[in-house]
Amino acid sequence: MQSLERGIVAGEKTVCAVALLVMALTTVASVVVRNLGLALPNYSEIGLAALVPLTLIGGALCTYLGSHISVEIVHALGSPLLRRAAAAITAVGVLAFAAIYFRSGWILMQEFRLTGDKLLDLGTPLWPLAALFPVGMALMAFHVVLQVIAMAIGPDNRGVAP
C-alpha cells in the first residue's frame, strides 16, 4: 500500500507543480498582452482554473505530508497517548470534511455538466474543475485511511508517532 501511496503522491506533486507553472505562465502572458495592447484573449482565466487543482490536489498532498494546522497541534502534544488520541480525532475530522466536500463537489460537477456553465473569457468548461473536488477529497480520505492503518499497526514511517 505504501508504494501505491508513494506513486499517488508523485502524481499529486506533478499536478501541483504543473498548476503552479500554468499559473505563472498565464500571469506573465496576461501582463504582456495587457501592457503591449495585443488583441489576444485573457489567458489569466487558465491560471485561475489552475488554482483549482492546486488547491484540491494540494490539500490531499498536505494531508499526506502532515503539513496542516491540526497535525502541527498533534505534534506539539507531549504525551504519546494524547498524540494518538488527537491524531485519531483529526483523522475523523478530515474524513468528515472529505466526505462532505466529496458529495458537494459531485453535485456541483453534475450541475455544471447539465447546465454547460463556462468561464467567460475563453469558455473554459466548469465541470472538469468541479470534478477535482471529489477527486481531491477521495485522495485526502485515502491518505487519512492509510495513516489510521499505520497508527493501528505501529509507528508511521512518515514521522507521526501513534
Side-chain angles (χ1 to χ4, degrees):
M1 277 307 243
Q2 286 181 334
S3 63
L4 172 65
E5 187 177 32
R6 279 192 296 273
I8 288 171
V9 166
E12 291 169 350
K13 287 178 180 179
T14 301
V15 167
C16 290
V18 169
L20 278 171
L21 179 63
V22 167
M23 289 170 64
L25 293 175
T26 57
T27 300
V28 168
S30 178
V31 169
V32 168
V33 166
R34 184 174 49 248
N35 287 321
L36 296 179
L38 301 174
L40 293 172
N42 182 5
Y43 291 108
S44 63
E45 177 178 294
I46 296 170
L48 182 63
L51 185 60
V52 176
L54 181 61
T55 301
L56 297 167
I57 305 302
L61 181 59
C62 286
T63 301
Y64 170 79
L65 295 172
S67 58
H68 45 77
I69 295 169
S70 60
V71 172
E72 295 298 326
I73 293 169
V74 169
H75 286 301
L77 297 173
S79 162
L81 182 60
L82 278 177
R83 279 198 308 268
R84 182 185 280 282
I89 291 167
T90 299
V92 169
V94 171
L95 286 173
F97 174 87
I100 290 166
Y101 279 95
F102 180 94
R103 178 156 167 66
S104 298
W106 186 265
I107 291 167
L108 185 64
M109 178 192 67
Q110 289 177 324
E111 287 179 12
F112 284 156
R113 284 194 71 190
L114 287 173
T115 61
D117 284 353
K118 298 176 181 175
L119 292 175
L120 297 176
D121 292 321
L122 300 175
T124 305
L126 288 174
W127 78 264
L129 299 175
L132 291 169
F133 271 92
V135 170
M137 296 305 106
L139 290 169
M140 188 178 287
F142 174 75
H143 292 309
V144 169
V145 166
L146 289 186
Q147 288 171 1
V148 168
I149 292 169
M151 282 191 316
I153 62 174
D156 183 298
N157 66 358
R158 287 179 292 202
V160 178

